[in-house]
Amino acid sequence: MRTHVVHAGLGLAGLLGLLLLWWAGVALFGQADGLSARFSPAATLASLFELLGQGDVYGHIWVSLKRILVGLLLALLIGVPLGLLVGSYRHLEAATTPAFQFLRMISPLSWMPVVVMLMGVGDQPIYFLLAFAALWPILLNTAAGVRQLDPRWLQLSRSLSATRWETLCKVIVPGVIGHVLTGVRLAIGILWIVLVPCEMLGVSAGLGYFILDTRDRLAYSELMAMVLLIGLLGFVLDALARGLHRRWVHG
């Protein structure tokens, strides 16, 4: 218990240090009556509390979280079965690894013009780009989990005359859940980074759209407040994924 309190205190001190660096940067390199004053911590926090009090921002938050959830589910539906196959068959792994590594190294954002031409604007291209971004950490971590399974588990299942389906459900899937959750945590971090530019594809709601709206209205303190809000929401999502992984591993 004491260790958790110490770690929490150190984490809070780190966040306060970051806030202090922010304040010092604005104070040293900006002018008190200039544009930089709108990016100060005081102005940003005031705008953030005002936005949260108005309630309009919650609709944009919900739209963005829904897109994250859909993209993550699509990546799971494709990545986990494919990862199980790749991890189970060495020849399939050898045949697909170069192609997967090639595709993984292409930035999802570079597909934006192509996807917009094929799918138009709206949610569909965003779902595709998010699923493409989240697919690779889930697929590769699932395959790595299959390869790291204890061979004695598989021998035991064969000695008990378990069918392939029973071996998959009782041995392989429980054995790779920890790796899948690691992939999910990595995928959430990538999704949250890719989401904001994706929401600048002509949609009318979402955190990325709201940032463009604040820029067009020259509401710079609100723009900085949205940047801060995006960081806070991403921090919460990562904490939830980390807690789920820790609960499964220790459970």
Side-chain angles (χ1 to χ4, degrees):
M1 180 65 180
R2 183 178 179 181
T3 303
H4 292 299
V5 173
V6 172
H7 287 174
L10 291 174
L12 182 60
L15 291 175
L16 291 176
L18 183 62
L19 182 63
L20 181 61
L21 286 175
W22 178 11
W23 173 83
V26 173
L28 291 175
F29 301 105
Q31 299 178 357
D33 56 347
L35 181 63
S36 59
R38 303 185 185 184
F39 298 99
S40 66
T44 299
L45 290 175
S47 295
L48 178 61
F49 289 130
E50 183 179 354
L51 287 173
L52 294 176
Q54 292 174 355
D56 294 339
V57 72
Y58 295 109
H60 297 282
I61 293 174
W62 164 245
V63 170
S64 293
L65 291 178
K66 183 189 72 172
R67 289 169 178 155
I68 289 287
L69 180 61
V70 172
L72 185 61
L73 287 176
L74 290 173
L76 284 169
L77 289 174
I78 299 171
V80 172
L82 197 54
L84 293 174
L85 284 173
V86 171
S88 300
Y89 300 100
R90 294 292 181 179
H91 293 301
L92 181 61
E93 178 186 5
T96 57
T97 295
F100 288 159
Q101 293 297 336
F102 174 79
L103 291 172
R104 184 175 70 89
M105 298 308 295
I106 300 176
S107 170
L109 299 179
S110 64
W111 293 103
M112 289 173 63
V114 178
V115 174
V116 169
M117 285 189 292
L118 294 176
M119 298 182 178
V121 296
D123 284 343
Q124 287 188 350
I126 295 178
Y127 293 151
F128 173 85
L129 293 171
L130 293 179
F132 183 87
L135 174 63
W136 310 113
I138 293 174
L139 189 158
L140 296 176
N141 275 277
T142 303
V146 175
R147 290 194 299 269
Q148 294 177 20
L149 283 174
D150 192 336
R152 292 173 296 181
W153 295 0
L154 300 176
Q155 292 174 0
L156 178 61
S157 67
R158 285 194 294 268
S159 66
L160 295 175
S161 300
T163 64
R164 285 181 177 271
W165 179 253
E166 289 172 337
T167 301
L168 177 66
C169 295
K170 302 295 184 180
V171 178
I172 297 178
V173 171
V176 302
I177 288 295
H179 288 79
V180 173
L181 292 177
T182 299
V184 167
R185 184 188 174 191
L186 294 173
I188 288 175
I190 296 172
L191 285 175
W192 201 242
I193 294 172
V194 174
L195 174 69
V196 173
C198 284
E199 288 185 330
M200 298 177 181
L201 290 175
V203 295
S204 59
L207 297 175
Y209 163 80
F210 199 85
I211 283 183
L212 286 182
D213 182 61
T214 57
R215 183 203 63 182
D216 295 339
R217 293 187 287 108
L218 305 181
Y220 296 118
S221 59
E222 289 186 18
L223 189 154
M224 196 62 194
M226 289 304 301
V227 172
L228 184 61
L229 180 60
I230 288 171
L232 290 172
L233 291 172
F235 181 85
V236 171
L237 287 175
D238 181 74
L240 291 174
R242 186 170 62 249
L244 183 61
H245 179 270
R246 186 186 302 114
R247 184 178 182 86
W248 173 265
V249 170
H250 291 291

